[in-house]
């Protein structure tokens, strides 16, 4: 009898441990997705501002470009995430109907609206960094330097967070994110300046 109780207790403990591990895994995936979304917002907006800044160095043009990038990017991310998660929602509903005789457990279903909102919010958080960095600097060269410095710090932070949530090597992950961000800004700046000087003369 005692052995039976002990077995039941150990089984319950194992189930709790599995549920906890599942919850942690699910949260880690969401957090990692949020970090990646913020990184997208950061790199996209900074690259746009650097590219336009290569030919239009005034602060107003750069800020408007960055703001347009933030809005367009956030909307694009939200719509893409909504469509993707809604497809997953439909698949899981169909699976539940087959497995449970038509019954649907709504608590286990993904939320397209929550996913879209989270994606847009994450992108906007990243996009705000270069906008805030450039907002109060009137001198062009100083503004570019401040943007690069702010974006560099944010890239390192996002790389570190992504590595932690993805259980990847921190230094390598941060370096990849940092170099990728630098490369995106440099390519956008260089190609925009090239096209402006040769293709639009």
């Amino acid at each position: 009898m005692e052995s039976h109780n002990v077995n039941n207790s150990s089984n319950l403990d194992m189930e709790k441990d599995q549920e906890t591990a599942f919850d942690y895994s699910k949260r880690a995936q969401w957090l990692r997705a949020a970090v990646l979304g913020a990184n997208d917002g950061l790199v996209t907006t900074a690259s746009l501002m650097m590219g336009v800044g290569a030919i239009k160095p005034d602060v107003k043009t750069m800020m408007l470009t960055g703001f347009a990038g933030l809005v367009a990017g956030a909307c694009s991310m939200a719509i893409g995430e909504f469509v993707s998660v809604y497809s997953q929602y439909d698949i899981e509903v169909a699976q539940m109907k087959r497995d449970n005789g038509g019954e649907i457990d709504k608590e286990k279903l993904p939320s397209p609206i929550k996913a879209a909102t989270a994606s847009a919010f994450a992108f906007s958080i990243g996009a705000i960094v270069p906008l805030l960095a450039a907002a109060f600097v009137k001198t062009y060269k100083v503004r570019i330097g401040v943007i690069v410095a702010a974006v560099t710090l944010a890239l390192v932070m996002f790389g570190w967070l992504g590595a932690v949530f993805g259980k990847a090597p921190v230094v390598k992950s941060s370096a990849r994110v940092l170099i990728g961000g630098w490369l995106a800004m440099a390519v956008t700046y260089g190609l925009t300046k090239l096209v402006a000087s040769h293709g639009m003369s």
Side-chain angles (χ1 to χ4, degrees), residues 22 40 43 62 73-74 112 116 138 146 149 168-169 176 179:
F22 177 75
D40 284 345
V43 174
M62 287 184 72
K138 292 184 178 181
V146 170
R176 281 196 298 265
I179 293 169

Side-chain angles (χ1 to χ4, degrees), residues 21 23 37-38 40 55 59 63 82 93 95 103 105 117 119 121 124 136 143 180 183 193 195:
D23 288 342
D40 284 345
I55 54 172
V59 66
M63 291 298 294
F82 182 85
V93 166
Q95 185 68 40
E103 292 184 6
D105 186 356
T117 303
S119 185
F121 180 74
S124 300
F136 307 105
R143 190 187 319 127
L183 189 61
K193 203 167 184 69
V195 170

Side-chain angles (χ1 to χ4, degrees), residues 54-55 188-200:
I55 54 172
T188 306
Y189 181 92
L191 286 179
T192 305
K193 203 167 184 69
L194 184 67
V195 170
S197 60
H198 295 288
M200 301 177 71

